[in-house]
Amino acid sequence: MSLVLGVDVGSQSIKAVIVDEGGNVVASGSASLTMTHEHDGWADQDPLTYCTALRDAVRAAVEGVQADRIVAMGLGSQVDGVVACDADGTPLRSAIIWLDKRATKECDQLVSAVGSDLLAERTGLVADASHSAPKMMWIRDNEPQVWQRAAMLAPVGSYVLHHLSGSHAQDAANASSTMVYDVAKGDFDVALCEAAGVDPAMLPDVRPSTDVVGTLRPDVAADLGLPSTCAVVVGTGDEHAASVGAGAIESGVVVDVSGTAEPVTTVAAEPVRDPLGVVETHGHAVPGSWLIENPGFVSGGSTLWLAHLLGVPQGEIFTRAREAPPASDGVLFLPALSGSTAPRWNDAMRGAFLGLAMNHTSAHAARAVLEGCAYALRDIVDRLHALGLGHGEVRIVGGGARDDLWASIKADVLGRPVRRVLTEEATAVGAAMVAGVGAGVFVDFSAASVAVQLDPDSIDPDPAAQRQYADAYGRYLAAFDAVEEALAT
């Protein structure tokens, strides 16, 4: 029986899973990553650590498994990063990753050059410094010595792909996050590239996620403990792989990825433009479809922040939240510790607790954080519904999906059932599904969906709590407006 390997190249860790033809995860491994923040709003990683962490994660996964049965591997990698490489694929500086917002001036310059309407129409994106073309412009303007030597401006996944196979490539999921890609035509836009001052020849070729680019380099194969005959596919973005791993193959399903941030996605058969700019249109890992998504607000990161503030383990936040009632006796939390993407995108927005009184405890604060994140989720789900999207079930995946209270809060706030994805590493499993389709282990993505493990029981909203949250959600929206206005003055 053939096996496929899927790798989640994240920002905090790299995770590897091995999946058999029946869709079962037979082995897994992981290795941690670190990031640096030299200045406010900056976030960098050493690209070489992707390679060493990949080695350690894959070695851990293949231990005890017949490695010669692994026929293909695929990557689900963090998007919006830039690794400037020379002609040999050697990185010339640290990777500027998705969390980095240094290129605000460059983003504004690109918008000014082409116009916000044209940019939104062609790219499907909200103009934001998190996207990769402004970061490329920043390197050009601030590090000319790097720019002069750069032959390739690769997303993280393409850099790792080159390390594995010797080939640079990216799928539509990665390319559509650049701000210079025409999401409807499926190629880089010449006018946008000219406005950004980026030569399209410096960007990896766009190919379907399932395309086989080659096999492992012999030295890399030996380092990973894999056969050199192992095929390597182009791969996709992490949110896109997670969506595949949650079964978002066709239109309908809404996927809520509960991690440090909380992306919310659904699939569309054609590009969609949101006039309000709450959700963006990206290429999807499934060729011929598009992923409509909000890239996420700080959710798990908010629980971690509160845990640090209280001096307790992160898990204690969920324990304490159980001691407070629905709607937290009036306490509200705005999950905008790093800016907001819902109900509006605003980099200058910041988080807040409101409605505090002498009778409130840390339990109320803990529950309010969980509820505030659920309100932001509703912002996005409601917007998808208004656009005629996401009418299927809401599937929750990731670390936050494992907590019963948080899952029930989401059902109550949304007023609709939610279902857990039981797969613990949905991104890596989704990457393995992409590899399996590319290598012919699965005939198509529908067949690959045998790897999607869903809870047989949905979590239904409680009518009484639903009514309480409907009122609290209105107060949350009013609070957001008030805090946003106060911070703008």
Side-chain angles (χ1 to χ4, degrees), residues 395-467:
R395 296 179 182 173
I396 53 176
V397 62
R402 292 193 286 272
D403 183 74
D404 291 341
L405 176 63
W406 208 355
S408 65
I409 288 173
K410 289 179 177 180
D412 294 338
V413 168
L414 293 175
R416 58 193 284 191
V418 301
R419 189 182 302 275
R420 283 193 181 94
V421 177
L422 299 181
T423 309
E424 289 194 8
E425 303 298 346
T427 300
V429 169
M433 293 165 65
V434 171
V437 172
V441 174
F442 305 117
V443 295
D444 54 25
F445 278 99
S446 293
S449 293
V450 68
V452 179
Q453 304 296 320
L454 300 176
D455 192 325
D457 300 317
S458 64
I459 300 166
D460 298 320
D462 173 79
Q466 185 179 341
R467 287 190 294 270

Side-chain angles (χ1 to χ4, degrees), residues 22-195:
N24 303 299
V25 175
V26 298
S28 63
S30 65
S32 62
L33 293 169
T34 59
M35 63 183 80
T36 58
H37 306 278
E38 187 175 345
H39 301 287
D40 181 27
W42 291 29
D44 292 78
Q45 290 185 308
D46 179 355
L48 298 180
T49 63
Y50 298 136
C51 305
T52 55
L54 175 70
R55 176 200 64 202
D56 294 343
V58 172
R59 280 181 175 177
V62 300
E63 187 176 348
V65 174
Q66 289 181 270
D68 58 359
R69 292 168 54 199
I70 299 174
V71 298
M73 71 178 296
L75 306 172
S77 307
Q78 51 169 296
V79 298
D80 288 318
V82 178
V83 184
C85 303
D86 65 15
D88 296 324
T90 302
L92 299 172
R93 71 173 321 281
S94 59
I96 305 177
I97 67 169
W98 64 275
L99 190 60
D100 192 285
K101 295 281 189 128
R102 75 184 69 182
T104 53
K105 181 178 72 173
E106 289 76 15
C107 182
D108 291 343
Q109 289 172 348
L110 182 54
V111 173
S112 296
V114 301
S116 58
D117 288 343
L118 183 146
L119 188 70
E121 183 66 33
R122 293 192 185 174
T123 68
L125 301 179
V126 175
D128 191 83
S130 63
H131 295 308
S132 53
K135 295 169 182 172
M136 299 174 192
M137 297 165 67
W138 186 93
I139 295 173
R140 180 199 64 201
D141 294 343
N142 293 274
E143 298 179 349
Q145 73 283 2
V146 172
W147 188 258
Q148 291 168 7
R149 296 178 58 198
M152 186 64 62
L153 301 169
V156 170
S158 180
Y159 167 74
V160 177
L161 183 74
H162 185 274
H163 166 72
L164 294 171
S165 66
S167 297
H168 274 298
Q170 62 183 323
D171 76 328
N174 278 280
S176 61
S177 229
T178 58
M179 277 179 63
V180 292
Y181 177 86
D182 189 317
V183 73
K185 293 182 178 179
D187 200 358
F188 293 109
D189 184 275
V190 174
L192 293 179
C193 286
E194 288 180 352

Side-chain angles (χ1 to χ4, degrees), residues 4 60 67 107 138 141 157 195 200 212 250 275 278 284 290 350 380 430 448 468 470:
V4 288
C107 182
W138 186 93
D141 294 343
V212 176
E250 299 176 344
V278 177
H284 193 18
W290 285 261
R350 289 296 180 263
I380 301 164
Q468 287 180 278

Side-chain angles (χ1 to χ4, degrees), residues 116-117 119-127 183 264 266 268 270-282 291-295 341-345 378-389:
S116 58
D117 288 343
L119 188 70
E121 183 66 33
R122 293 192 185 174
T123 68
L125 301 179
V126 175
V183 73
V264 182
T266 196
E270 58 186 20
V272 174
R273 182 181 177 188
D274 178 8
L276 299 184
V278 177
V279 295
E280 299 183 313
T281 295
H282 292 253
L291 197 71
I292 314 305
E293 67 165 326
N294 181 287
T341 61
R344 289 180 291 280
W345 290 52
R378 177 174 168 176
D379 292 334
I380 301 164
V381 172
D382 283 359
R383 187 63 196 145
L384 291 173
H385 189 271
L387 293 169
L389 301 167

Side-chain angles (χ1 to χ4, degrees), residues 327 330 332 375 378 412-413 464-478:
L332 292 170
Y375 300 145
R378 177 174 168 176
D412 294 338
V413 168
Q466 185 179 341
R467 287 190 294 270
Q468 287 180 278
Y469 283 129
D471 176 69
Y473 178 66
R475 291 187 288 109
Y476 153 84
L477 291 175

